[in-house]
mmCIF file of all heavy atoms in Angstrom:
data_model
loop_
_atom_site.group_PDB
_atom_site.id
_atom_site.type_symbol
_atom_site.label_atom_id
_atom_site.label_comp_id
_atom_site.label_asym_id
_atom_site.label_seq_id
_atom_site.Cartn_x
_atom_site.Cartn_y
_atom_site.Cartn_z
ATOM 1 N N LEU A 530 -5.044 -0.561 13.878
ATOM 2 C CA LEU A 530 -4.232 0.634 14.072
ATOM 3 C C LEU A 530 -4.609 1.731 13.076
ATOM 4 O O LEU A 530 -4.812 1.452 11.894
ATOM 5 C CB LEU A 530 -2.758 0.288 13.899
ATOM 6 C CG LEU A 530 -2.115 -0.525 15.018
ATOM 7 C CD1 LEU A 530 -0.714 -0.943 14.607
ATOM 8 C CD2 LEU A 530 -2.070 0.273 16.306
ATOM 9 N N PRO A 531 -4.646 2.987 13.510
ATOM 10 C CA PRO A 531 -4.824 4.086 12.564
ATOM 11 C C PRO A 531 -3.666 4.126 11.567
ATOM 12 O O PRO A 531 -2.527 3.778 11.893
ATOM 13 C CB PRO A 531 -4.822 5.329 13.468
ATOM 14 C CG PRO A 531 -5.205 4.822 14.821
ATOM 15 C CD PRO A 531 -4.625 3.449 14.911
ATOM 16 N N VAL A 532 -3.945 4.576 10.340
ATOM 17 C CA VAL A 532 -2.913 4.573 9.305
ATOM 18 C C VAL A 532 -1.738 5.462 9.690
ATOM 19 O O VAL A 532 -0.584 5.147 9.361
ATOM 20 C CB VAL A 532 -3.496 4.998 7.942
ATOM 21 C CG1 VAL A 532 -4.378 3.901 7.383
ATOM 22 C CG2 VAL A 532 -4.257 6.318 8.040
ATOM 23 N N GLU A 533 -2.004 6.564 10.392
ATOM 24 C CA GLU A 533 -0.902 7.444 10.760
ATOM 25 C C GLU A 533 0.023 6.802 11.795
ATOM 26 O O GLU A 533 1.224 7.068 11.822
ATOM 27 C CB GLU A 533 -1.428 8.797 11.263
ATOM 28 C CG GLU A 533 -2.303 8.754 12.507
ATOM 29 C CD GLU A 533 -3.781 8.556 12.209
ATOM 30 O OE1 GLU A 533 -4.115 8.162 11.059
ATOM 31 O OE2 GLU A 533 -4.581 8.795 13.118
ATOM 32 N N VAL A 534 -0.538 5.937 12.635
ATOM 33 C CA VAL A 534 0.293 5.229 13.611
ATOM 34 C C VAL A 534 1.176 4.203 12.904
ATOM 35 O O VAL A 534 2.371 4.080 13.198
ATOM 36 C CB VAL A 534 -0.596 4.538 14.674
ATOM 37 C CG1 VAL A 534 0.241 3.663 15.594
ATOM 38 C CG2 VAL A 534 -1.342 5.591 15.482
ATOM 39 N N LEU A 535 0.597 3.489 11.943
ATOM 40 C CA LEU A 535 1.392 2.548 11.162
ATOM 41 C C LEU A 535 2.521 3.263 10.429
ATOM 42 O O LEU A 535 3.671 2.790 10.412
ATOM 43 C CB LEU A 535 0.497 1.829 10.150
ATOM 44 C CG LEU A 535 -0.271 0.603 10.635
ATOM 45 C CD1 LEU A 535 -1.253 0.149 9.567
ATOM 46 C CD2 LEU A 535 0.678 -0.528 10.983
ATOM 47 N N ALA A 536 2.221 4.387 9.814
ATOM 48 C CA ALA A 536 3.237 5.114 9.054
ATOM 49 C C ALA A 536 4.351 5.631 9.952
ATOM 50 O O ALA A 536 5.511 5.684 9.535
ATOM 51 C CB ALA A 536 2.591 6.269 8.293
ATOM 52 N N ARG A 537 4.014 6.022 11.176
ATOM 53 C CA ARG A 537 5.047 6.496 12.099
ATOM 54 C C ARG A 537 5.990 5.373 12.505
ATOM 55 O O ARG A 537 7.164 5.606 12.785
ATOM 56 C CB ARG A 537 4.408 7.118 13.350
ATOM 57 C CG ARG A 537 3.996 8.563 13.158
ATOM 58 C CD ARG A 537 3.772 9.262 14.494
ATOM 59 N NE ARG A 537 2.635 8.708 15.215
ATOM 60 C CZ ARG A 537 1.385 9.137 15.087
ATOM 61 N NH1 ARG A 537 1.108 10.119 14.234
ATOM 62 N NH2 ARG A 537 0.418 8.593 15.782
ATOM 63 N N ARG A 538 5.481 4.149 12.556
ATOM 64 C CA ARG A 538 6.334 3.025 12.930
ATOM 65 C C ARG A 538 7.367 2.733 11.852
ATOM 66 O O ARG A 538 8.518 2.410 12.154
ATOM 67 C CB ARG A 538 5.472 1.787 13.177
ATOM 68 C CG ARG A 538 4.627 1.878 14.431
ATOM 69 C CD ARG A 538 3.867 0.593 14.659
ATOM 70 N NE ARG A 538 3.187 0.591 15.946
ATOM 71 C CZ ARG A 538 2.497 -0.439 16.428
ATOM 72 N NH1 ARG A 538 2.415 -1.556 15.721
ATOM 73 N NH2 ARG A 538 1.923 -0.366 17.591
ATOM 74 N N ASP A 539 6.938 2.821 10.589
ATOM 75 C CA ASP A 539 7.835 2.543 9.468
ATOM 76 C C ASP A 539 7.191 3.115 8.211
ATOM 77 O O ASP A 539 6.022 2.840 7.933
ATOM 78 C CB ASP A 539 8.053 1.036 9.318
ATOM 79 C CG ASP A 539 9.155 0.696 8.337
ATOM 80 O OD1 ASP A 539 9.098 1.186 7.183
ATOM 81 O OD2 ASP A 539 10.063 -0.063 8.695
ATOM 82 N N ARG A 540 7.955 3.879 7.446
ATOM 83 C CA ARG A 540 7.391 4.519 6.253
ATOM 84 C C ARG A 540 6.841 3.492 5.261
ATOM 85 O O ARG A 540 5.912 3.785 4.500
ATOM 86 C CB ARG A 540 8.448 5.375 5.564
ATOM 87 C CG ARG A 540 8.780 6.670 6.285
ATOM 88 C CD ARG A 540 9.814 7.467 5.487
ATOM 89 N NE ARG A 540 9.312 7.808 4.165
ATOM 90 C CZ ARG A 540 8.597 8.887 3.888
ATOM 91 N NH1 ARG A 540 8.274 9.744 4.856
ATOM 92 N NH2 ARG A 540 8.192 9.136 2.656
ATOM 93 N N ALA A 541 7.411 2.294 5.253
ATOM 94 C CA ALA A 541 6.963 1.267 4.309
ATOM 95 C C ALA A 541 5.828 0.414 4.852
ATOM 96 O O ALA A 541 5.297 -0.440 4.135
ATOM 97 C CB ALA A 541 8.139 0.371 3.915
ATOM 98 N N ALA A 542 5.444 0.628 6.106
ATOM 99 C CA ALA A 542 4.486 -0.271 6.761
ATOM 100 C C ALA A 542 3.156 -0.353 6.023
ATOM 101 O O ALA A 542 2.565 -1.426 5.889
ATOM 102 C CB ALA A 542 4.266 0.165 8.202
ATOM 103 N N LEU A 543 2.646 0.774 5.535
ATOM 104 C CA LEU A 543 1.346 0.766 4.864
ATOM 105 C C LEU A 543 1.377 -0.060 3.581
ATOM 106 O O LEU A 543 0.401 -0.727 3.236
ATOM 107 C CB LEU A 543 0.902 2.188 4.559
ATOM 108 C CG LEU A 543 0.549 3.067 5.767
ATOM 109 C CD1 LEU A 543 0.282 4.497 5.327
ATOM 110 C CD2 LEU A 543 -0.647 2.500 6.507
ATOM 111 N N SER A 544 2.507 -0.023 2.868
ATOM 112 C CA SER A 544 2.604 -0.760 1.603
ATOM 113 C C SER A 544 2.689 -2.260 1.820
ATOM 114 O O SER A 544 2.513 -3.044 0.887
ATOM 115 C CB SER A 544 3.813 -0.280 0.785
ATOM 116 O OG SER A 544 5.028 -0.531 1.474
ATOM 117 N N PHE A 545 2.961 -2.677 3.070
ATOM 118 C CA PHE A 545 2.948 -4.096 3.409
ATOM 119 C C PHE A 545 1.705 -4.458 4.230
ATOM 120 O O PHE A 545 1.524 -5.605 4.603
ATOM 121 C CB PHE A 545 4.205 -4.474 4.203
ATOM 122 C CG PHE A 545 5.449 -4.462 3.368
ATOM 123 C CD1 PHE A 545 6.262 -3.339 3.324
ATOM 124 C CD2 PHE A 545 5.801 -5.567 2.606
ATOM 125 C CE1 PHE A 545 7.410 -3.322 2.550
ATOM 126 C CE2 PHE A 545 6.935 -5.568 1.824
ATOM 127 C CZ PHE A 545 7.748 -4.435 1.790
ATOM 128 N N GLY A 546 0.871 -3.453 4.499
ATOM 129 C CA GLY A 546 -0.339 -3.668 5.283
ATOM 130 C C GLY A 546 -1.575 -3.360 4.479
ATOM 131 O O GLY A 546 -1.830 -4.000 3.449
ATOM 132 N N PRO A 547 -2.366 -2.342 4.864
ATOM 133 C CA PRO A 547 -3.626 -2.070 4.157
ATOM 134 C C PRO A 547 -3.449 -1.611 2.716
ATOM 135 O O PRO A 547 -4.391 -1.683 1.935
ATOM 136 C CB PRO A 547 -4.278 -0.974 5.013
ATOM 137 C CG PRO A 547 -3.161 -0.365 5.793
ATOM 138 C CD PRO A 547 -2.186 -1.466 6.042
ATOM 139 N N LEU A 548 -2.240 -1.152 2.335
ATOM 140 C CA LEU A 548 -2.012 -0.690 0.961
ATOM 141 C C LEU A 548 -1.195 -1.699 0.142
ATOM 142 O O LEU A 548 -0.655 -1.352 -0.903
ATOM 143 C CB LEU A 548 -1.290 0.668 0.956
ATOM 144 C CG LEU A 548 -2.174 1.921 1.063
ATOM 145 C CD1 LEU A 548 -2.859 1.972 2.411
ATOM 146 C CD2 LEU A 548 -1.344 3.174 0.860
ATOM 147 N N ARG A 549 -1.109 -2.931 0.609
ATOM 148 C CA ARG A 549 -0.297 -3.908 -0.123
ATOM 149 C C ARG A 549 -0.895 -4.144 -1.523
ATOM 150 O O ARG A 549 -2.104 -4.311 -1.674
ATOM 151 C CB ARG A 549 -0.202 -5.223 0.641
ATOM 152 C CG ARG A 549 -1.514 -5.958 0.831
ATOM 153 C CD ARG A 549 -1.349 -7.111 1.820
ATOM 154 N NE ARG A 549 -2.577 -7.870 1.963
ATOM 155 C CZ ARG A 549 -3.598 -7.515 2.726
ATOM 156 N NH1 ARG A 549 -3.532 -6.385 3.416
ATOM 157 N NH2 ARG A 549 -4.679 -8.262 2.822
ATOM 158 N N PRO A 550 -0.049 -4.193 -2.552
ATOM 159 C CA PRO A 550 -0.545 -4.280 -3.927
ATOM 160 C C PRO A 550 -0.604 -5.689 -4.494
ATOM 161 O O PRO A 550 -0.923 -5.862 -5.665
ATOM 162 C CB PRO A 550 0.495 -3.456 -4.687
ATOM 163 C CG PRO A 550 1.772 -3.722 -3.946
ATOM 164 C CD PRO A 550 1.395 -3.895 -2.493
ATOM 165 N N VAL A 551 -0.298 -6.702 -3.681
ATOM 166 C CA VAL A 551 -0.199 -8.063 -4.214
ATOM 167 C C VAL A 551 -1.520 -8.508 -4.846
ATOM 168 O O VAL A 551 -2.605 -8.180 -4.361
ATOM 169 C CB VAL A 551 0.213 -9.068 -3.112
ATOM 170 C CG1 VAL A 551 1.611 -8.766 -2.613
ATOM 171 C CG2 VAL A 551 -0.780 -9.041 -1.949
ATOM 172 N N GLY A 552 -1.399 -9.223 -5.955
ATOM 173 C CA GLY A 552 -2.573 -9.761 -6.634
ATOM 174 C C GLY A 552 -3.323 -8.771 -7.483
ATOM 175 O O GLY A 552 -4.420 -9.065 -7.955
ATOM 176 N N LEU A 553 -2.750 -7.582 -7.709
ATOM 177 C CA LEU A 553 -3.431 -6.549 -8.483
ATOM 178 C C LEU A 553 -2.501 -6.021 -9.581
ATOM 179 O O LEU A 553 -1.296 -5.867 -9.360
ATOM 180 C CB LEU A 553 -3.867 -5.393 -7.577
ATOM 181 C CG LEU A 553 -4.956 -5.719 -6.550
ATOM 182 C CD1 LEU A 553 -5.066 -4.611 -5.526
ATOM 183 C CD2 LEU A 553 -6.294 -5.958 -7.242
ATOM 184 N N THR A 554 -3.073 -5.743 -10.736
ATOM 185 C CA THR A 554 -2.333 -5.184 -11.860
ATOM 186 C C THR A 554 -3.035 -3.927 -12.339
ATOM 187 O O THR A 554 -4.246 -3.945 -12.605
ATOM 188 C CB THR A 554 -2.237 -6.186 -13.021
ATOM 189 O OG1 THR A 554 -1.573 -7.377 -12.557
ATOM 190 C CG2 THR A 554 -1.471 -5.609 -14.192
ATOM 191 N N ASP A 555 -2.287 -2.839 -12.437
ATOM 192 C CA ASP A 555 -2.838 -1.577 -12.923
ATOM 193 C C ASP A 555 -3.035 -1.701 -14.441
ATOM 194 O O ASP A 555 -2.059 -1.879 -15.178
ATOM 195 C CB ASP A 555 -1.873 -0.443 -12.604
ATOM 196 C CG ASP A 555 -2.436 0.928 -12.964
ATOM 197 O OD1 ASP A 555 -3.442 0.994 -13.696
ATOM 198 O OD2 ASP A 555 -1.861 1.931 -12.504
ATOM 199 N N PRO A 556 -4.272 -1.622 -14.941
ATOM 200 C CA PRO A 556 -4.497 -1.790 -16.383
ATOM 201 C C PRO A 556 -3.840 -0.702 -17.230
ATOM 202 O O PRO A 556 -3.598 -0.900 -18.415
ATOM 203 C CB PRO A 556 -6.027 -1.742 -16.507
ATOM 204 C CG PRO A 556 -6.505 -1.041 -15.285
ATOM 205 C CD PRO A 556 -5.531 -1.380 -14.211
ATOM 206 N N ARG A 557 -3.514 0.444 -16.621
ATOM 207 C CA ARG A 557 -2.861 1.507 -17.389
ATOM 208 C C ARG A 557 -1.405 1.174 -17.702
ATOM 209 O O ARG A 557 -0.871 1.587 -18.720
ATOM 210 C CB ARG A 557 -2.913 2.824 -16.611
ATOM 211 C CG ARG A 557 -4.316 3.381 -16.380
ATOM 212 C CD ARG A 557 -4.217 4.692 -15.603
ATOM 213 N NE ARG A 557 -3.483 4.506 -14.357
ATOM 214 C CZ ARG A 557 -2.927 5.481 -13.653
ATOM 215 N NH1 ARG A 557 -3.005 6.738 -14.085
ATOM 216 N NH2 ARG A 557 -2.295 5.236 -12.513
ATOM 217 N N THR A 558 -0.745 0.444 -16.795
ATOM 218 C CA THR A 558 0.683 0.157 -16.965
ATOM 219 C C THR A 558 0.961 -1.313 -17.245
ATOM 220 O O THR A 558 2.043 -1.656 -17.717
ATOM 221 C CB THR A 558 1.451 0.564 -15.700
ATOM 222 O OG1 THR A 558 1.011 -0.262 -14.594
ATOM 223 C CG2 THR A 558 1.199 2.030 -15.351
ATOM 224 N N GLY A 559 -0.007 -2.182 -16.894
ATOM 225 C CA GLY A 559 0.227 -3.618 -17.026
ATOM 226 C C GLY A 559 1.146 -4.164 -15.956
ATOM 227 O O GLY A 559 1.577 -5.328 -16.043
ATOM 228 N N ARG A 560 1.436 -3.368 -14.915
ATOM 229 C CA ARG A 560 2.337 -3.800 -13.853
ATOM 230 C C ARG A 560 1.641 -3.669 -12.485
ATOM 231 O O ARG A 560 0.650 -2.964 -12.341
ATOM 232 C CB ARG A 560 3.618 -2.962 -13.849
ATOM 233 C CG ARG A 560 4.455 -3.082 -15.120
ATOM 234 C CD ARG A 560 5.822 -2.434 -14.937
ATOM 235 N NE ARG A 560 5.711 -1.027 -14.582
ATOM 236 C CZ ARG A 560 5.645 -0.034 -15.460
ATOM 237 N NH1 ARG A 560 5.639 -0.303 -16.767
ATOM 238 N NH2 ARG A 560 5.547 1.222 -15.063
ATOM 239 N N ARG A 561 2.241 -4.324 -11.528
ATOM 240 C CA ARG A 561 1.743 -4.193 -10.163
ATOM 241 C C ARG A 561 2.159 -2.830 -9.604
ATOM 242 O O ARG A 561 3.330 -2.452 -9.699
ATOM 243 C CB ARG A 561 2.306 -5.307 -9.271
ATOM 244 C CG ARG A 561 1.698 -5.326 -7.874
ATOM 245 C CD ARG A 561 2.156 -6.530 -7.073
ATOM 246 N NE ARG A 561 3.493 -6.355 -6.511
ATOM 247 C CZ ARG A 561 4.088 -7.212 -5.696
ATOM 248 N NH1 ARG A 561 3.461 -8.341 -5.389
ATOM 249 N NH2 ARG A 561 5.304 -6.994 -5.234
ATOM 250 N N PRO A 562 1.235 -2.061 -9.007
ATOM 251 C CA PRO A 562 1.592 -0.755 -8.441
ATOM 252 C C PRO A 562 2.502 -0.917 -7.222
ATOM 253 O O PRO A 562 2.642 -2.000 -6.658
ATOM 254 C CB PRO A 562 0.234 -0.162 -8.040
ATOM 255 C CG PRO A 562 -0.794 -1.000 -8.735
ATOM 256 C CD PRO A 562 -0.194 -2.356 -8.890
ATOM 257 N N HIS A 563 3.087 0.191 -6.809
ATOM 258 C CA HIS A 563 3.895 0.167 -5.584
ATOM 259 C C HIS A 563 3.004 -0.002 -4.356
ATOM 260 O O HIS A 563 3.376 -0.679 -3.395
ATOM 261 C CB HIS A 563 4.697 1.467 -5.465
ATOM 262 C CG HIS A 563 5.551 1.518 -4.235
ATOM 263 N ND1 HIS A 563 6.742 0.833 -4.120
ATOM 264 C CD2 HIS A 563 5.372 2.173 -3.050
ATOM 265 C CE1 HIS A 563 7.266 1.056 -2.938
ATOM 266 N NE2 HIS A 563 6.452 1.866 -2.257
ATOM 267 N N ALA A 564 1.828 0.594 -4.401
ATOM 268 C CA ALA A 564 0.849 0.489 -3.308
ATOM 269 C C ALA A 564 -0.543 0.697 -3.893
ATOM 270 O O ALA A 564 -0.683 1.304 -4.963
ATOM 271 C CB ALA A 564 1.133 1.507 -2.214
ATOM 272 N N VAL A 565 -1.547 0.206 -3.217
ATOM 273 C CA VAL A 565 -2.931 0.319 -3.695
ATOM 274 C C VAL A 565 -3.853 0.604 -2.523
ATOM 275 O O VAL A 565 -3.802 -0.084 -1.496
ATOM 276 C CB VAL A 565 -3.404 -0.968 -4.406
ATOM 277 C CG1 VAL A 565 -4.913 -0.929 -4.629
ATOM 278 C CG2 VAL A 565 -2.696 -1.143 -5.729
ATOM 279 N N VAL A 566 -4.680 1.618 -2.667
ATOM 280 C CA VAL A 566 -5.760 1.865 -1.716
ATOM 281 C C VAL A 566 -7.019 1.215 -2.273
ATOM 282 O O VAL A 566 -7.451 1.543 -3.381
ATOM 283 C CB VAL A 566 -5.982 3.371 -1.509
ATOM 284 C CG1 VAL A 566 -7.180 3.606 -0.590
ATOM 285 C CG2 VAL A 566 -4.728 4.020 -0.936
ATOM 286 N N GLN A 567 -7.606 0.282 -1.514
ATOM 287 C CA GLN A 567 -8.825 -0.391 -1.965
ATOM 288 C C GLN A 567 -10.054 0.240 -1.327
ATOM 289 O O GLN A 567 -10.028 0.641 -0.156
ATOM 290 C CB GLN A 567 -8.774 -1.881 -1.637
ATOM 291 C CG GLN A 567 -7.851 -2.685 -2.533
ATOM 292 C CD GLN A 567 -8.208 -4.167 -2.520
ATOM 293 O OE1 GLN A 567 -8.291 -4.796 -1.474
ATOM 294 N NE2 GLN A 567 -8.420 -4.725 -3.697
ATOM 295 N N LEU A 568 -11.129 0.296 -2.109
ATOM 296 C CA LEU A 568 -12.412 0.772 -1.613
ATOM 297 C C LEU A 568 -13.447 -0.332 -1.808
ATOM 298 O O LEU A 568 -13.509 -0.946 -2.866
ATOM 299 C CB LEU A 568 -12.849 2.041 -2.345
ATOM 300 C CG LEU A 568 -11.926 3.249 -2.157
ATOM 301 C CD1 LEU A 568 -11.032 3.407 -3.377
ATOM 302 C CD2 LEU A 568 -12.728 4.511 -1.918
#
């Protein structure tokens, strides 16, 4: 699905889908981010 279609279904959908932050820690804060875009 295109990201805009996912976002239209639910504002939180991306953070539980392609932007899910599980397993990652931001070294600047030492905490898990709310969402993460991976490249």
Side-chain angles (χ1 to χ4, degrees):
L530 288 172
V532 288
E533 61 272 15
V534 173
L535 276 172
R537 277 197 294 271
R538 290 183 172 183
D539 190 307
R540 287 182 60 87
L543 292 173
S544 63
F545 289 95
L548 274 66
R549 64 191 183 279
V551 295
L553 293 167
T554 301
D555 185 346
R557 296 180 304 161
T558 64
R560 297 191 302 271
R561 187 173 79 175
H563 180 77
V565 168
V566 176
Q567 285 201 306
L568 297 101

